[in-house]
Amino acid sequence: MPTPARAQIQGFRPPAVPLVTHDPLVSIWSPSDKAYSSNTRHWTQREQALSTLVRVDDQTFRVMGTGLEEMGALKQVDLKVTPTRSIYTFQNSKVSLTLTFASPLLPDDMDVLARPVTYISYSVVSRDGKPHSVKIMQTMAGVVSVNTPDEPTKTTTGKMGGLTVLSVGAAEPTMLRPAGDDVRINWGKAYLAAPNVTESLSAPAEVLMESFNETGNLPKFMTMEYRPPSSSNPTLALVMDAGKVGSKAVERHAMIAYDEEYAVRFFSQNLRPYWRRKGATIQTMLPQAEREYTDLMKRCAAFDTQLMADLTKAGGERYAQISALAYRQGLSGCGFAADSNGMPLIFAKENSSNGCIATTDIFYPAAPQFLLLSSALVKGLVAPVLVYSASPRWKFPFAPHDLGVYPQATGQVYGGGEDSKNEADMMPVEESGNMILLMLAIAKVDGNADFASKWWPQLTAWEGYLEKYGKDPENQLCTDDFMGHLAHNSNLSVKAILAIAAYGELCRMRGDAASANKYQALAKEYAANWINVSNDGDHSRLAFDRPNTWSQKYNLVWDKILGLNVFPASVAQKEVAYYKKMMQPYGLPLDSRTKLTKTDWSVWSATLADNQADFQAIVSPIYKYLNETTARLPFVDSYITDDKNSDGMRARPVIGGVFIKMLDDQATWMKYVKQGQKLGNNYAPFPPTPSIETVVPTSLTTPQTWRYTEAKPDSGWFAPKFDDSGWKSGKGGFGSPGMAGGNTNTEWRSGDIWLRRQITLPQTLPANLQIMAYHDEDIKVYINGVLALKSSGYTGRYELFDISEEARKQLTPGATVTVAVTCHQTNGGQYIDIGFGNEGAIIR
């Protein structure tokens, strides 16, 4: 007799289910309770459809994704999200199907963890004691490989060993572009591969589904090797025949992979993905991933079981489920690259914010997950900023905020960037305190201060800055910059005080007891003052000069985690008692100015508690929000605590901060550290800097005259013979006044601008002439009417861009060419200016 289906999915209902979680650019989620109720999406909410159909005897069912109206769905009866897997169960009276998406993000093997492969497993068993013919069709939309659906793609079909492999990539890839927040990958190729494949094809999704629904086979009459922008999107499809399925489960599996070729631009170097550092290619990687499939699935299951048990022990079942949902997001919110020594450099992306790369106050909240899992992971997370801070490019006495805009790590852009004249906008106390605290945490993981010693001059400078400005911070931004500047910030002061103590502890680990005692005493002196000036009765103030206010003192958690013992334990417990009074239905607000919360900080604040009941009182409403919210997004780290319909920043690595509770117990922490991989400290120095030759000047130093309009022009506006006599004349650059790194001479505040200019090229041109542009945001550049450059997002400074091959044909020495530019703005600052340049000799 068949087992009765459950009336509904039991237990936790994630707002979105992680499916393909490789890095910030390749990240696909299911945003519905039932996998077949909607199509899957990139975290930016662009549709990137993964579809699964199953044919049982002569009837086809949808399992994942929407499809033909006449096609029914195989009923979903269960969903479990574990750290490395999302496990769905579907059934009808005939069969039961378990569909599992697994990302083997295993901390004991960096090669596997950084490998861009997601496994899809299918396990089918008969429920009625009778054999049934079963076929499975798995598809992946070609838009997975391009930034926007209007971009042309190319597909291929082939074999790699016993695998059938389909691939799709941009027909006109732009390596390591675009940079920005709301962007997807536009270079390299996406792969759908599997053994035991009976049919494969690339074709429009509706054609594939109609054929499989009607016949159980793919159509025989077409393929889509190239898709021009005006045609339907191609979809890759594989069919796997499970044969006759009885009481013994029949299993099949497929893989989704992405070979980006290069992962990140790190100043003058294009860095390979970490998995490629020893010369691996997709042709070697996919067969290896296939050989390791069975073992990796066992390892994922074992790791998930162990971690869920320890999470439950640390904070209860709801905390464990929150952390399971955070696990893949925290790691895949970063890009994994290798430096020239083959060491891992891990670049956190500021998703759903400003798109910055390696942002210090993003990887600071993310760090607990990395600290828990392995020494190699957390060192890779902080190393890019350390390398940058030790370079001639960084001239400030405090730590950097960021390295640029993902995936272009070419120098800080936030707060005015490297040319900033306003320290308050650069989060100087915030970032310096973050770095010192994390360096001590790394030393605790390693059992020595060798890694910190590599960067000792920088740490010493940062401690000096905190000593001078951290006791009572001046009016400046902190990590919660969305709340604006704040003077006398008591939580920021806590960070500075603990960072001074952490520096002292690093001195002790380096054998300098005298300095250790000095800084410990100074930190305690500052702490005593803090207790006095922040006191507001039964809690501490938001700012020293603001009575009747409060804020989460989440930075205080490091006093406990790192064993610094700077503040009396009563300080934390007074805070926790007050937080319990301030709770809203869905969490603890950030401070007295708002009902908005930060999920990561709330778990840090909860970890201040000295008992499980208080910890769970603060954390359980987060579970309630995730389980009830109508915002079907990847794990958000900001929302309104009395509104389940609210949403906020999502898909960010900061959510790794929920693992801080696991660091509260030293034995548990060190158990995972010992299991994790260790790779030493042999990080490569800052890349050599190339000179930049200006061929046709921008307006940065000498304003150039352009014709421009902010009213949409007629079609053909970019053609050489277009009549622009009715347009205005103005000096570049165009944009918001005071744009850092630019030179605004003509104010532009509308959503779009169109520019034209004639340029006479010099008699001698470099072989690799490039466009030199500063754009904020999306631009298109035409040369003599031919598209030369299309780039989304923003740069934050002048950068070099490759020119398309067709447009390059227009560039002959001494020629006069028409350059036409359009720039589209959505929010924030705006700026556009271009010239031509060339990357010259290396400056050593």
Side-chain angles (χ1 to χ4, degrees), residues 67-136:
L68 306 174
E69 290 184 4
E70 65 268 25
M71 191 189 306
L74 194 64
K75 186 176 182 180
Q76 181 181 320
V77 296
D78 196 20
L79 167 63
K80 292 184 176 66
V81 175
T82 66
T84 67
R85 297 170 298 159
S86 297
I87 307 166
Y88 293 91
T89 303
F90 307 86
Q91 64 184 30
N92 62 11
S93 61
K94 293 182 177 181
V95 299
S96 176
L97 168 67
T98 301
L99 175 68
T100 302
F101 285 79
S103 297
L105 305 180
L106 302 170
D108 62 345
D109 192 336
M110 185 80 81
D111 286 299
V112 169
L113 186 151
R115 184 188 293 164
V117 174
T118 294
Y119 294 97
I120 311 175
S121 302
Y122 319 87
S123 179
V124 193
V125 65
S126 172
R127 297 186 69 236
D128 61 4
K130 300 176 183 178
H132 298 282
S133 297
V134 176
K135 282 186 176 182
I136 299 161

Side-chain angles (χ1 to χ4, degrees), residues 589-606:
L590 184 66
D591 59 47
S592 52
R593 297 171 293 180
T594 182
K595 287 188 177 179
L596 180 141
T597 192
K598 287 288 277 95
T599 315
D600 44 351
W601 298 148
S602 292
V603 179
W604 288 31
S605 294

Side-chain angles (χ1 to χ4, degrees), residues 385 388-402 411-412 417-418 426 458 462:
V385 161
Y388 177 42
S389 67
S391 77
R393 290 275 299 271
W394 188 252
K395 304 182 187 303
F396 298 96
F398 46 82
H401 171 275
D402 64 85
Q412 178 163 321
E418 294 176 352
M426 300 175 77
Q458 286 69 47
W462 299 341

Side-chain angles (χ1 to χ4, degrees), residues 736-748:
S736 308
M739 284 293 285
N743 181 22
T744 302
N745 290 289
T746 300
E747 192 168 326
W748 162 48

